[in-house]
Amino acid sequence: MKLSFSTIQNQVLKTLEDKLPNYLKYHSVEHTKYVLEKAIYIASKEQVSGHDLFLLKIAALYHDIGFTKSNIEHEAIGCDIARNELPKLGISGEDVDIICGMIMATKIPQHPKTHLEKILADADLEYLGTKHFKTVSELLYKELKHYNPNLTRSEWNSIQINFIQNHQYHTKFCRRYKAFRKQKHLEELKKQID
C-alpha cells in the first residue's frame, strides 16, 4: 500500500529534526522544507504534475537526509536510506530509482539528465538567484567554518565567486527568472574582493 505524501513528509522531517547535527546551519530542516517548496513551485512552472510531482516531492525530502550520517558523499548515503525506507512505504523499485536519480543530481557539480532531476537540482540552488542569497550564504559560511575554523570571509567570497561562475540553472523557468539576479550577486561579490 502506498502511503500519502503527508505521511512520508512527517516521517522524513521528524528524522531530520532528530538526527541532523545542529552545526549544520545551512543543511537544516528549514533548507529541506525550502527545497521542497521551490521544487513544487518550479514543477508548476515546468508543467510537471501527478505522479512525477509526487516523486519529485519525495526526492526533495530525501535529498539531504544523508547528512544525518555524514557530510561526505551524503547524496549516495541519502539514496541508501531512500532504498531502505521507501519500499516499506509502498514506493516501487522503479520509482525509487527515479528518486535516487534526482537525489544524485543535486551533487556538486550538478549534472542532471532528466527533467525531474533538473527541477530538483535547480530547487536546491534556487537561492543563488534570489533576495535570500546573502542570508542563506551566511548560513553556509557558518556551517563550513565548523569543518574549517580558519576559513576567512575573503576566502569564502572567493569560493562563492568561483561557485557562481561555474553554476548554471537547468530549467527554462530558472534560466529565465533566476539567472539575472544570480549574476548581480556575483558582481557584488567581485566588488568586495577588488
Side-chain angles (χ1 to χ4, degrees):
M1 186 192 102
K2 189 161 83 174
L3 293 176
S4 72
F5 175 74
S6 60
T7 308
I8 298 169
Q9 180 176 7
N10 293 339
Q11 186 176 312
V12 175
L13 293 178
K14 174 99 175 69
T15 300
L16 293 172
E17 279 158 13
D18 293 346
K19 294 188 176 173
L20 281 178
N22 51 12
Y23 57 77
L24 294 178
K25 303 295 180 206
Y26 171 81
H27 291 102
S28 61
V29 180
E30 283 66 39
H31 168 71
T32 293
K33 289 177 181 171
Y34 183 85
V35 172
L36 172 61
E37 181 192 319
K38 293 304 160 190
I40 294 167
Y41 183 71
I42 296 167
S44 74
K45 300 295 183 186
E46 294 275 319
Q47 277 78 53
V48 168
S49 59
H51 189 65
D52 282 348
L53 180 60
F54 175 72
L55 298 182
L56 176 67
K57 292 186 333 191
I58 292 174
L61 284 176
Y62 275 87
H63 89 281
D64 277 345
I65 202 167
F67 275 102
T68 59
K69 299 196 173 177
S70 173
N71 66 310
I72 296 157
E73 296 294 332
H74 72 88
E75 299 90 355
I77 296 166
C79 280
D80 290 343
I81 295 169
R83 285 187 194 287
N84 182 38
E85 290 180 3
L86 289 173
K88 296 172 195 165
L89 303 174
I91 308 294
S92 74
E94 191 182 333
D95 283 347
V96 173
D97 287 342
I98 293 167
I99 290 164
C100 284
M102 285 185 264
I103 295 169
M104 293 309 295
T106 65
K107 186 177 170 72
I108 308 296
Q110 294 180 331
H111 297 293
K113 293 172 186 72
T114 68
H115 193 203
L116 291 178
E117 288 172 12
K118 289 174 182 179
I119 293 171
L120 188 59
D122 279 0
D124 195 25
L125 295 176
E126 182 264 2
Y127 83 94
L128 293 172
T130 71
K131 64 179 190 278
H132 310 296
F133 172 73
K134 283 190 177 123
T135 317
V136 175
S137 66
E138 191 59 26
L139 294 173
L140 188 52
Y141 176 57
K142 286 178 180 162
E143 181 175 312
L144 293 175
K145 272 186 87 71
H146 169 81
Y147 300 109
N148 175 10
N150 301 321
L151 181 67
T152 66
R153 188 153 302 270
S154 71
E155 286 169 333
W156 170 233
N157 285 341
S158 295
I159 290 167
Q160 291 207 94
I161 287 168
N162 187 41
F163 185 79
I164 294 172
Q165 282 175 332
N166 289 301
H167 171 266
Q168 61 175 12
Y169 286 117
H170 305 282
T171 59
K172 282 187 191 135
F173 173 75
C174 285
R175 283 187 171 154
R176 185 165 178 189
Y177 293 103
K178 303 293 172 187
F180 176 75
R181 192 174 237 163
K182 184 184 75 167
Q183 193 59 33
K184 288 263 186 239
H185 296 314
L186 177 61
E187 286 157 20
E188 281 167 27
L189 285 167
K190 284 178 170 173
K191 277 180 200 155
Q192 289 171 33
I193 285 206
D194 289 345

